Amino acid sequence: MKDFTVDYFTMTEQDAMEYAKAINLFPEDAELTCKEIGDGNLNYVFKIVNIKNHQSIIIKQAGPVARISDEFKLSPDRNRIESEILGLQYKLAPGFVPKVYNYDPIMNCTVMDDLSNHEIMRTALLKHKKFPLFADHITTFLVNTLLLTSDVVVEHKEKKELVKQFINPELCEITEDLVYTEPFYDCPRNEVFEGSKEFVKEVIWNDKKLVLESAKLKFEFMTNAQSLLHGDLHTGSIFIKKDSTKVIDPEFAFYGPAGYDIGNVIANLIFAYANGKFTIEDKETRDDYINYLITTIKDVINLFTVKFNKTWDEKATERVARYEGFKEYYLDTILRDTAAVAGLELLRRIIGLAKVKDITSIQEREARIRAEKICLTAGKTFILSRQSIKTGADFINVIQSAELSSVKGA
Ligand code: SR1
Ligand code: MG
């Protein structure tokens, strides 16, 4: 048996089973099977099952380079950040994250609940499944993890300790590059679908005003240590079933603008919307699914607002947070950032290196181009008009206007 206590190495399925036994996750007589099931861009995820009683766990290990491309060399210490934030979120938002059982700083891996009775939300949305409780669940998660880690609630020296604990330069650099920089010029690392290239050039890269706004937003992202973010809250970071939502993969966590997480949720619902619009053939089924997503997007914004106001009133400890008008000002800035980040995520998944299946799986060329144009047009409006996009209805207007203009321009 290998020694897991001295030097770090990336594990095979066989190693992961031996590791599970070595740290006594299963009884001596357990009969284990293991499958590497990671489908993200960065890590290895081993599902280990004791076939005698079907008991199972997940071991997630950080490798030294990203799976998507070994251009990204990353410290495996990101696994510490992930395990520590999962522990914190487990307390702040009970029921909405998996339980962590062990973190190993030598092997850079974390043992956590197996959520195989759930499904990755992006995969489920691609099958056009509906989750009517999602907006309620995710807004509780968002308000609890974002507001309850901010200076509004946390004593300021304690908060600064948290900023220190979750400093995450390498993963932040990925976001700074892939989200805030590369989509705004003809960067060699971008991967633009050939049918959309002209549109991207004309509407995104040649728009100096938009490019300038991206610079302002990049500096906001790098300097506004407002809340402890998940940092990568797309639908591939969510496990879901009808009555349960679990947020996973918070390795991009750091103190940044609260709107970053909310904007990511919104943009990824819009990708699902674009997928539904261009892949569901039957009109009635399509309209029904699209309406479900419209309602969900609207509810995420509106429920976030309601829960944010309530939690602020109940939990704010900072004296100036009680000054008349400050809560409204603060929420306004979060909603502005939410719109901006929804826009950035929409643009970067179309233009940049890291794609989403919602769009890449649209087989018919013209349909994919139209889906991409809707995302790009909406993304641009979210960024440029972010100051005036505040309500669920405002968010929906942007999507529907982008859709209308894609019909006119088609
Ligand atoms: C190199 S990592 C590419 C993308 O995958 C992650 O999930 C993040 O979204 C990152 O931007
Ligand atoms: Mg991830």
Side-chain angles (χ1 to χ4, degrees):
M1 190 189 277
K2 284 189 180 152
D3 189 348
F4 299 98
T5 61
V6 187
D7 287 322
Y8 164 74
F9 58 91
T10 47
M11 292 191 280
T12 62
E13 290 175 346
Q14 182 61 36
D15 296 333
M17 280 190 288
E18 288 182 15
Y19 178 81
K21 283 236 167 150
I23 67 165
N24 298 320
L25 289 175
F26 293 95
E28 263 305 302
D29 65 343
E31 270 179 50
L32 301 184
T33 61
C34 175
K35 198 167 163 35
E36 202 283 309
I37 56 166
D39 67 348
N41 294 327
L42 298 179
N43 304 296
Y44 300 89
V45 180
F46 300 98
K47 176 177 170 172
I48 303 187
V49 183
N50 179 359
I51 50 176
K52 279 191 169 166
N53 61 3
H54 304 289
Q55 189 205 350
S56 59
I57 48 99
I58 292 293
I59 299 177
K60 180 170 176 183
Q61 186 180 38
V65 292
R67 292 179 86 153
I68 188 176
S69 151
D70 54 18
E71 256 184 57
F72 298 96
K73 309 227 175 335
L74 301 165
S75 155
D77 179 57
R78 65 185 185 276
N79 199 262
R80 172 191 64 79
I81 295 198
E82 172 157 358
S83 67
E84 288 177 5
I85 193 179
L86 278 175
L88 185 59
Q89 290 174 338
Y90 192 80
K91 290 185 200 136
L92 293 172
F96 294 111
V97 291
K99 187 169 167 48
V100 167
Y101 298 102
N102 190 56
Y103 161 65
D104 181 334
I106 294 170
M107 293 306 292
N108 295 299
C109 66
T110 298
V111 180
M112 64 184 97
D113 277 337
D114 175 24
L115 299 170
S116 303
N117 56 346
H118 293 61
E119 196 174 5
I120 287 290
M121 187 173 182
R122 191 183 307 285
T123 314
L125 293 176
L126 287 176
K127 293 180 205 154
H128 308 128
K129 294 190 183 173
K130 295 187 199 166
F131 300 95
L133 298 179
F134 172 70
D136 183 32
H137 288 172
I138 202 69
T139 49
T140 300
F141 174 84
L142 287 166
V143 169
N144 288 12
T145 58
L146 298 174
L147 188 52
L148 301 185
T149 57
S150 74
D151 281 301
V152 176
V153 176
V154 183
E155 192 279 320
H156 304 328
K157 291 190 290 304
E158 194 187 319
K159 185 243 175 178
K160 287 177 179 71
E161 280 303 319
L162 286 169
V163 174
K164 200 156 80 181
Q165 181 183 348
F166 289 103
I167 204 92
N168 199 351
E170 290 172 348
L171 282 281
C172 282
E173 187 182 38
I174 293 183
T175 305
E176 288 153 23
D177 291 343
L178 293 191
V179 179
Y180 287 89
T181 311
E182 295 174 8
F184 295 92
Y185 71 101
D186 192 2
C187 172
R189 202 154 61 179
N190 287 334
E191 282 180 16
V192 186
F193 185 57
E194 58 58 46
S196 303
K197 187 103 189 214
E198 269 316 301
F199 189 81
V200 168
K201 244 189 233 167
E202 200 185 309
V203 175
I204 309 296
W205 296 338
N206 286 347
D207 188 331
K208 286 201 176 127
K209 193 162 180 282
L210 178 69
V211 172
L212 171 61
E213 294 311 305
S214 76
K216 294 181 192 169
L217 292 166
K218 180 175 179 178
F219 273 65
E220 267 287 305
F221 177 80
M222 294 190 296
T223 57
N224 181 6
Q226 183 176 36
S227 295
L228 183 53
L229 307 186
H230 175 283
D232 196 26
L233 194 40
H234 55 81
T235 46
S237 297
I238 296 169
F239 262 121
I240 199 156
K241 62 186 175 90
K242 279 274 172 278
D243 57 350
S244 166
T245 302
K246 304 270 186 191
V247 175
I248 58 164
D249 275 4
E251 66 207 320
F252 282 76
F254 82 111
Y255 260 90
Y260 192 79
D261 281 352
I262 316 159
N264 264 291
V265 171
I266 297 295
N268 281 276
L269 290 169
I270 297 173
F271 292 132
Y273 172 97
N275 179 278
K277 183 164 173 54
F278 291 104
T279 64
I280 302 176
E281 280 172 20
D282 176 61
K283 184 178 175 340
E284 207 179 307
T285 317
R286 182 171 65 239
D287 288 349
D288 178 60
Y289 196 61
I290 279 174
N291 280 337
Y292 155 71
L293 285 166
I294 291 280
T295 306
T296 304
I297 293 167
K298 220 189 281 180
D299 287 351
V300 169
I301 298 298
N302 294 341
L303 284 173
F304 177 84
T305 300
V306 170
K307 292 180 190 181
F308 176 93
N309 282 324
K310 183 167 183 290
T311 307
W312 181 295
D313 293 343
E314 288 169 2
K315 298 266 167 71
T317 57
E318 160 62 53
R319 180 185 163 81
V320 308
R322 304 277 169 197
Y323 291 178
E324 205 182 311
F326 186 67
K327 178 178 69 177
E328 291 72 15
Y329 155 81
Y330 192 100
L331 175 60
D332 238 45
T333 65
I334 293 181
L335 292 168
R336 176 201 66 197
D337 295 346
T338 298
V341 172
L344 289 159
E345 174 75 358
L346 284 166
L347 298 189
R348 75 98 165 203
R349 297 289 189 182
I350 302 297
I351 301 171
L353 169 77
K355 301 281 184 228
V356 287
K357 271 211 187 103
D358 318 46
I359 303 300
T360 56
S361 65
I362 302 174
Q363 294 301 319
E364 214 258 299
R365 184 175 180 275
E366 290 313 308
R368 174 157 172 191
I369 295 172
R370 271 201 57 208
E372 295 205 349
K373 281 188 182 169
I374 292 174
C375 294
L376 293 166
T377 308
K380 179 169 169 168
T381 309
F382 278 130
I383 293 173
L384 292 178
S385 307
R386 62 190 183 278
Q387 302 283 3
S388 56
I389 301 168
K390 301 286 172 221
T391 64
D394 294 338
F395 278 78
I396 300 310
N397 276 340
V398 173
I399 304 165
Q400 289 175 338
S401 308
E403 206 175 311
L404 268 183
S405 81
S406 89
V407 177
K408 283 186 205 140

